[in-house]
Amino acid sequence: MDTIEITASGTKTTHDYEDHNGIERVALKDFSYNEFFQKYMRPNRPVIITSVADGWDCFRRWIDRSVHPHRLDVQFLRGTIPNLTVPIADCAKQHYNAHEKTEMKLYDFLDSWTDHQDTEVRSRYYLKDWHLRSAIPEYEFYKTPPFFASDWLNEYLLDRGTDDYRFVYMGPAGTWTAFHADVFGSFSWSVNIFGEKLWYLLAPGEEVKLRDGLKSLPFRVTEDELQNAGVQYYTVKQQPGEAIFVPTGWYHQVLNIEDTISVNHNWFNACNVTAVWSNLRAALQDVLREIDDCRDMENFDEHSQLMLKVSFGMDYADFVAILRYICDKRIELLAAGESQKGHLNTEYTLGRNHAAFDLATIETLFSAALETRAFSCTPAVEKSAVSYLKKIKKSNS
């Protein structure tokens, strides 16, 4: 079982990294977790890691590489995966700031992929946000790369058995994902197992140049539009077997140049949890502006949190519950003997330096939030944060 660990100096890494005229590619065999932590994850800087998927079952078995060009092995998939109902994005229809969603049986989708010769028809339906790993947990068709294993969001959700942010995407050539930044302000990683993707990535703040008179961002961008707006952006052509790390707040748009399959996670940890907290607070302020004329209603704060959960995907109680869960696990690890390591999942353990960094980050966040009375609108959450801040301080004494 691999260990996810950082050096003591790694916890002090700042954001003053050298700028490069492009997104770097590094080989998996030449790359350590500590290097990823210090050079990319902490500074919130993207990177592409090659040869990540070579040993994955989906990389070896889902694609028939005995023919040229390579093609989807529909017979293998039908024999391995049940005919599940899968989520489909209709790339020909827009619903608010996303593609219209529908559902389809997996085998019908595979038939539409292989049977249609009409390019317009083939490029319409995109199987997205498919929770295949949760649907068939016994089928380990991929392994989370070690660089992305410090994942508070999925660590918490999988332990509770309620949800996850682990997805499979399958899209014929021409399908695409609209211009967006990832949910919560999370990190994301995406590994191509088949085909080529074209990415446009914008560093945080560059997207502001694309806002219209109503402060709205475009649904789709082109290179001409990016250049005309004076946007500094990166273009990446992602190849099979490559992982791309998309940092917090980096807006992006993705086009499947060829028939493409990828495995994707959204996640956050001590490196970006402060950004997630900032986004959560900003989302609450948006809710409060929307319902400002209802401030005299009974249970106004509770109603605001309910609306926050609907619009943002979590409320203050959810966020603090995740931090409490991580606190308990890290305190337990640090209280154990020097040789002990904490189990993240069946694949990785957590080193003691990393656990201490996680705990220190939560302590700082709770201290700042309580000092500014940020939790005052949710007394139960505020009480819980006070309790856990005391628990962390006691564990340090």
Side-chain angles (χ1 to χ4, degrees):
M1 188 176 290
D2 296 332
T3 300
I4 305 304
E5 183 61 297
I6 53 179
T7 62
S9 61
T11 64
K12 298 180 176 65
T13 302
T14 61
H15 291 205
D16 56 346
Y17 57 85
E18 180 183 356
D19 192 20
H20 292 264
N21 295 320
I23 295 175
E24 294 174 278
R25 272 184 166 85
V26 297
L28 177 69
K29 64 181 179 62
D30 300 325
F31 204 40
S32 70
Y33 177 81
N34 193 65
E35 183 178 8
F36 172 70
F37 181 94
Q38 296 194 51
K39 291 184 63 177
Y40 302 100
M41 188 157 63
R42 279 284 279 160
N44 207 48
R45 176 184 172 198
V47 66
I48 300 163
I49 309 169
T50 64
S51 303
V52 167
D54 290 357
W56 294 3
D57 194 70
C58 59
F59 188 77
R60 295 184 296 106
R61 305 291 299 279
W62 290 13
I63 313 304
D64 185 353
R65 291 187 168 83
S66 67
V67 297
H68 187 78
H70 301 161
R71 64 182 179 221
L72 190 70
D73 193 333
V74 175
Q75 184 176 356
F76 176 81
L77 289 173
R78 282 176 172 267
T80 305
I81 302 173
N83 193 22
L84 304 168
T85 299
V86 294
I88 302 293
D90 186 341
C91 293
K93 294 182 179 180
Q94 180 178 346
H95 182 70
Y96 296 105
N97 62 344
H99 288 121
E100 188 171 293
K101 302 294 178 61
T102 185
E103 291 183 336
M104 190 181 293
K105 285 294 187 180
L106 174 62
Y107 297 171
D108 292 337
F109 173 78
L110 295 176
D111 288 341
S112 73
W113 181 313
T114 55
D115 292 347
H116 285 299
Q117 299 302 313
D118 188 313
T119 301
E120 185 173 342
V121 174
R122 289 192 82 248
S123 64
R124 180 170 181 175
Y125 298 114
Y126 192 1
L127 194 167
K128 293 181 65 178
D129 299 330
W130 182 22
H131 296 261
L132 177 59
R133 190 64 179 267
S134 292
I136 316 177
E138 65 277 10
Y139 182 25
E140 297 182 357
F141 57 93
Y142 73 96
K143 178 180 178 179
T144 299
F147 318 104
F148 315 131
S150 175
D151 177 349
W152 294 4
L153 181 61
N154 288 301
E155 187 179 348
Y156 170 77
L157 292 173
L158 292 172
D159 186 65
R160 290 168 57 88
T162 55
D163 198 2
D164 71 337
Y165 283 83
R166 306 175 300 170
F167 310 108
V168 169
Y169 284 22
M170 301 178 69
T175 51
W176 58 288
T177 297
F179 186 66
H180 72 288
D182 285 313
V183 61
F184 307 141
S186 61
F187 295 141
S188 67
W189 62 263
S190 177
V191 175
N192 263 16
I193 64 169
F194 180 45
E196 182 179 67
K197 289 179 182 284
L198 172 66
W199 294 72
Y200 299 141
L201 294 104
L202 284 64
E206 288 296 310
E207 78 282 355
V208 175
K209 300 174 183 177
L210 296 169
R211 293 192 184 277
D212 61 19
L214 299 175
K215 306 298 182 182
S216 299
L217 289 168
F219 182 63
R220 187 169 191 171
V221 296
T222 65
E223 289 209 53
D224 284 344
E225 290 168 341
L226 292 170
Q227 292 169 4
N228 290 339
V231 173
Q232 295 184 15
Y233 67 97
Y234 297 93
T235 301
V236 172
K237 287 189 176 181
Q238 184 188 16
Q239 304 302 315
E242 292 185 338
I244 184 167
F245 167 62
V246 182
T248 287
W250 282 66
Y251 275 78
H252 50 283
Q253 179 177 289
V254 191
L255 170 68
N256 294 325
I257 299 175
E258 303 172 337
D259 292 355
T260 308
I261 301 175
S262 63
V263 176
N264 314 272
H265 284 201
N266 289 100
W267 93 104
F268 61 81
N269 59 28
C271 292
N272 67 336
V273 67
T274 302
V276 174
W277 170 232
S278 178
N279 289 342
L280 181 61
R281 295 187 69 183
L284 178 59
Q285 293 307 308
D286 290 340
V287 167
L288 294 177
R289 280 191 289 271
E290 286 288 326
I291 61 172
D292 186 64
D293 56 346
C294 301
R295 283 187 178 274
D296 293 334
M297 71 181 291
E298 187 177 359
N299 299 323
F300 175 79
D301 287 332
E302 290 86 346
H303 185 66
S304 300
Q305 289 294 314
L306 178 61
M307 292 186 64
L308 175 63
K309 186 162 186 170
V310 170
S311 62
F312 189 75
M314 72 168 74
D315 59 17
Y316 278 23
D318 295 327
F319 180 73
V320 170
I322 294 172
L323 300 194
R324 288 171 52 191
Y325 170 84
I326 298 299
C327 266
D328 285 336
K329 292 189 69 176
R330 304 310 185 252
I331 289 172
E332 181 181 358
L333 168 59
L334 293 174
E338 283 298 319
S339 63
Q340 296 300 307
K341 296 172 182 144
H343 288 264
L344 289 175
N345 49 44
T346 58
E347 300 169 344
Y348 301 103
T349 60
L350 189 73
R352 295 178 63 81
N353 289 339
H354 209 311
F357 174 69
D358 288 356
L359 206 55
T361 301
I362 297 173
E363 180 180 11
T364 300
L365 192 154
F366 275 163
S367 294
L370 291 169
E371 183 177 343
T372 59
R373 297 300 309 280
F375 293 131
S376 60
C377 60
T378 50
V381 172
E382 185 173 48
K383 183 178 180 181
S384 176
V386 169
S387 172
Y388 266 77
L389 184 57
K390 291 178 179 176
K391 189 172 185 178
I392 295 170
K393 291 181 181 299
K394 183 178 179 180
S395 72
N396 290 334
S397 61

